[in-house]
Each structure stands twice: as C-alpha cells, then as structure tokens.
C-alpha cells in the first residue's frame, strides 16, 4: 500500500499521464451517444453497463453493441458535427498544465478513434498520442466491423498500450486516470492509478482505488503546490 503523499509525489514527477476518454475526459460514453443517435439507445446502454462492471469480455461486448448500432461513416461524422462530446470541467486546464511541464499526455480509449481524435484536437494532444478502436466501413460508407488487431479492442488492452509506451519511450513513471474497471486494471503496468468519479461513480473503482477524485481541480492543485 503506497501512502497518499507518495502517490502525490509520483503524480507530480510522472513522465506520462494517460487518460481514459468516455466519462473521464468527456462527460458522455461515446458508444451510448452513437447508439442514441442511431436509435438503439436502451439495449446498448444496458450492455455498456454490464461491460463496465467487468461481467462481459470487452471484445465480445464491443462486437455485440456495434452489431446492434451498425453505424455508417456518415452517422459517425454527423454525430461529431451535431452532438460534439462535452469536455469534463477542468480537463483542458489540467492537460495544458501537464504539457507545460513537458509531461506526455495520452488518450487511451475503448471508444472510437474518430471521436477520440476530435477530443484530442480540442486539448492540443497530437493524434499520435491517441490509442482507440478503429471502426471499419465499406466503400459505400456502411458499417463493416472494427479493427480487432488494436490492443484497445481486448480486455486488458489499456495495460498493453501502457506497456508498449514504456518500452518505446522508456518512461519511468506512468499515471493512468479513468472512471472504469478497465482503467484500474491498467495499473500495473501503470505506476499509479487515479480513479475519477466526476461524471459517473463506479463503486468497484471507488472502493479499490488508492486515490479517488471527483474533480480535476484536485490534480491541478497538486501541480501548483
């Protein structure tokens, strides 16, 4: 068990900070918003709830939900244009403060790259620092599945991405911040996990996090001290 002051020191001296996106960096769950937009909201949000609770393997849950939604390329583009995701209060300031300190910031999401890249652009995070699932479309724009080779398509995928980042960039201290079970499972290989409950509180994460916050202002405060 690491003491809280040690966790704070680790956070303030991190080489890289990785954020989950849905319900962490943004207020919504991207896949539920896509389902709502495509008219199959209720069935899909029930599946998301089961997946987040860890009851269903991630790839199976993703396959099942996308088979119901069948989003076309046009629908995904229209969703981003007409209902852009809302950034969580404080995230813009936190990311920019980390970047000022030359900390690498990554977005690691089980959501969709097209939506996550839109979020990254709002936070001045380069698309090379985005890891998310790629939707596939036929030449006519119809849904054709998703890229199952992406590490984020698997259970344990976020941990695989962090391991890869450590190997590639030789990061010594990596922090993972997120709301869900898949984020918590990424530590280790992450050195610190900070549970985030500012949009939705997942009891399992709250109960098992050594450091749990409900407002990014708390982390900004740590960096200012």
């Amino acid at each position: 068990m690491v003491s809280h002051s040690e966790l704070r020191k680790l956070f303030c001296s991190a080489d890289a900070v990785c954020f989950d996106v849905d319900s962490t960096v943004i207020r919504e769950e991207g896949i539920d918003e896509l389902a709502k937009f495509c008219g199959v909201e209720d069935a899909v949000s029930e599946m998301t709830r089961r997946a987040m609770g860890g009851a269903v393997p991630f790839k199976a849950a993703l396959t099942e939900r996308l088979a119901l939604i069948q989003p076309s390329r046009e629908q995904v583009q229209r969703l981003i244009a007409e209902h852009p995701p809302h950034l969580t209060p404080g995230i813009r300031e936190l990311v920019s403060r980390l970047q000022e300190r030359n900390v690498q910031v990554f977005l690691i999401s089980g959501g969709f790259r097209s939506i996550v890249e839109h979020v990254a652009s709002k936070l001045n995070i380069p698309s090379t620092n985005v890891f998310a699932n790629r939707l596939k479309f036929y030449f006519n724009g119809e849904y054709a599945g998703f890229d199952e080779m992406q590490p984020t398509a698997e259970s344990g995928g976020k941990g695989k991405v962090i391991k890869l980042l450590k190997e590639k960039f030789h990061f010594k201290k990596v922090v993972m911040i997120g709301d869900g079970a898949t984020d918590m499972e990424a530590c280790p290989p992450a050195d610190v996990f900070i549970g985030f409950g500012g949009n939705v509180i997942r009891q399992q994460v709250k109960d098992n996090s050594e450091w749990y916050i409900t407002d990014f202002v708390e982390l900004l405060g740590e960096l200012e001290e």
Side-chain angles (χ1 to χ4, degrees):
M1 191 74 176
V2 187
S3 77
H4 196 66
S5 66
E6 281 175 292
L7 284 174
R8 288 156 73 164
K9 271 196 204 114
L10 277 167
F11 171 67
C12 291
S13 61
D15 311 296
V17 175
C18 303
F19 288 92
D20 168 50
V21 177
D22 295 328
S23 298
T24 299
V25 167
I26 61 173
R27 308 205 67 154
E28 304 86 354
E29 281 291 324
I31 196 161
D32 290 350
E33 293 303 303
L34 191 56
K36 191 188 295 182
F37 194 73
C38 298
V40 287
E41 179 186 6
D42 292 347
V44 170
S45 52
E46 172 56 24
M47 286 180 189
T48 299
R49 203 180 56 72
R50 291 201 341 253
M52 287 311 277
V56 186
F58 186 80
K59 190 185 273 187
L62 188 59
T63 306
E64 205 180 334
R65 288 177 292 177
L66 283 169
L68 262 180
I69 303 170
Q70 295 277 324
S72 68
R73 181 184 278 127
E74 188 210 359
Q75 282 172 317
V76 175
Q77 288 166 345
R78 274 181 48 215
L79 171 70
I80 295 168
E82 294 171 23
H83 303 279
H86 297 91
L87 292 176
T88 300
I91 188 65
R92 202 189 287 271
E93 297 77 2
L94 178 58
V95 168
S96 118
R97 189 78 191 89
L98 288 165
Q99 289 168 333
E100 280 166 19
R101 294 167 68 108
N102 293 318
V103 177
Q104 285 283 335
V105 178
F106 295 89
L107 299 182
I108 307 180
S109 174
F112 308 121
R113 191 172 181 96
S114 42
I115 297 174
V116 177
E117 281 186 343
H118 173 81
V119 173
S121 71
K122 297 263 176 271
L123 297 169
N124 297 317
I125 295 170
S127 60
T128 47
N129 286 21
V130 170
F131 294 85
N133 288 316
R134 288 178 188 275
L135 292 171
K136 297 198 295 199
F137 303 101
Y138 292 110
F139 67 92
N140 64 356
E142 283 178 10
Y143 173 67
F146 62 96
D147 179 357
E148 300 197 13
M149 300 311 289
Q150 294 292 322
T152 47
E154 297 277 357
S155 294
K158 291 177 183 178
K160 284 181 192 150
V161 171
I162 290 173
K163 184 169 178 287
L164 187 103
L165 292 176
K166 282 185 147 183
E167 285 165 5
K168 185 174 176 184
F169 297 109
H170 309 291
F171 294 138
K172 297 275 180 288
K173 294 177 196 157
V174 177
V175 175
M176 178 74 205
I177 300 173
D179 67 288
T182 59
D183 307 311
M184 190 165 61
E185 285 160 7
C187 179
D191 301 278
V192 177
F193 169 68
I194 302 172
F196 181 72
N199 293 311
V200 59
I201 291 178
R202 304 193 195 280
Q203 204 57 44
Q204 178 200 0
V205 177
K206 187 179 182 183
D207 293 346
N208 293 291
S209 299
E210 291 180 353
W211 189 356
Y212 194 80
I213 62 167
T214 54
D215 196 323
F216 286 129
V217 168
E218 186 178 329
L219 296 183
L220 263 171
E222 295 293 344
L223 297 175
E224 300 306 329
E225 280 173 21

